Structure formats: structure tokens, C-alpha cells
Amino acid sequence: MNDVNEISRQTLLRRGFALEYATLGWNVIGIVVLAIAAIGARSVALAGFGLDSLIEIGASTVVIWELSGTGEERQKRALKLIGIGFALLGLYLLAQSTIVLVSGFRPHHSPLGIAWTAVTAAVMFALAFGKARTGAALDNPVLKTEGRVTLIDGLLAAAVLLGLVLNSTLGWWWADPAAGYVLVYYAAREVREIFFGEH
């Protein structure tokens, strides 16, 4: 029975690694695509979403490191690193949304940005679901928590997409930074849970 459990655990670990490497690969490509789209459209939102991809790369790297070892101390350290990532994401979103709203900055239309954020939202939601299930099966709080980082990445992609579409169709330039404030609240809640909640 123990052998079966160990084989099952190894399968789940391999799935966890695969999910993280897929996330890493997608975000590395995303940084390049978003840089091209942001420069072309002079879009603060797309440039900011590229920075968010850097945070996601950092979070995935932390989980790969944690899955490679064992021990409660290693898990606690990994959770704190992910919490720092959430805090940075929340601060970035707060600053970006406020600057864009106050300055009244109006980006150009970006078909590439719309296409990329639409596909990214779907990919990140699928990866977040896989990480939540795998993390729960492994009883690994680090993988489950990083899955929420990926979920936020998907929500942010959807918010940026909505802002780009509303800007292109209705001229509502303020829609994207307004949606950013909702995600600031979500990120702050995750930081509170990681640093002050029970694990």
C-alpha cells in the first residue's frame, strides 16, 4: 500500500513540476510578446502586465525549488517568498492604476495585446485549476498558494483584455485601471492569509 501511495505521490509531483514549467515557459514568451504590443500601442496596462509576468516567473521558480525538497521549514520559506510576490503585485497594480487614472493616459488600439491577453487568461485559468487540484492531492500549501498567484494572473489578463476591448470599441480608457483596484484587494487578502493566517 505504501508503494502505491509513493507511486501516486511521484506522479502528482511530476504533474506539479509540469504545471510550473508550463507556467514559466508561457510567461517568458509573454514578456517578449507584451513588450512588442506595449511599445506598439504605448500601453501602460500591457507594459504593466509584462511586469506581472515577471512576478509569476518568480513564483513558479519558488514552487519548483520547494517541490525539489522536503520539510516544513522549506515550505514556510517558500510561502513567504510567494507572499512577497503577491505584495509586489498588489503595490504595482495600485501604483499603475492610480497613475493611469490621474494622468488620463489613453493608449492606442492593440490587436496583438487583445489576442495575447485573451489566450493568456484561458491558459492561466486552466493552469490555476490544475495547480489547485494537484496541490490539494499532495497536501502542499505552497503549490496551492502559487495556484492562486496564477489565478490572479488570469484575472489580471481578463481585466487588461476588458480594458483594451472597451478602449478599442467605446473609448473607455479608464476601464482597465479601474479593474486593477479589484485585483489589489484580492492580492492584499492573499498577503494577509500567507503572513497572518493559519497553515
Side-chain angles (χ1 to χ4, degrees), residues 57-67 77-79 81-82 142:
I57 286 169
S60 290
T61 303
V62 166
V63 176
I64 289 168
W65 168 74
E66 193 277 330
L67 289 174
R77 199 174 320 149
L79 278 172
L81 288 170
I82 292 172
V142 177

Side-chain angles (χ1 to χ4, degrees), residues 79-135:
L79 278 172
K80 283 184 181 174
L81 288 170
I82 292 172
I84 291 168
F86 264 119
L88 291 172
L89 178 57
L91 289 172
Y92 147 69
L93 286 169
L94 182 63
Q96 178 199 324
S97 297
T98 302
I99 289 168
V100 171
L101 281 174
V102 170
S103 67
F105 184 83
R106 289 167 171 78
H108 300 310
H109 305 316
S110 177
L112 175 60
I114 288 171
W116 181 259
T117 52
V119 176
T120 296
V123 169
M124 291 301 128
F125 290 144
L127 287 170
F129 177 74
K131 290 175 187 181
R133 284 191 62 182
T134 306

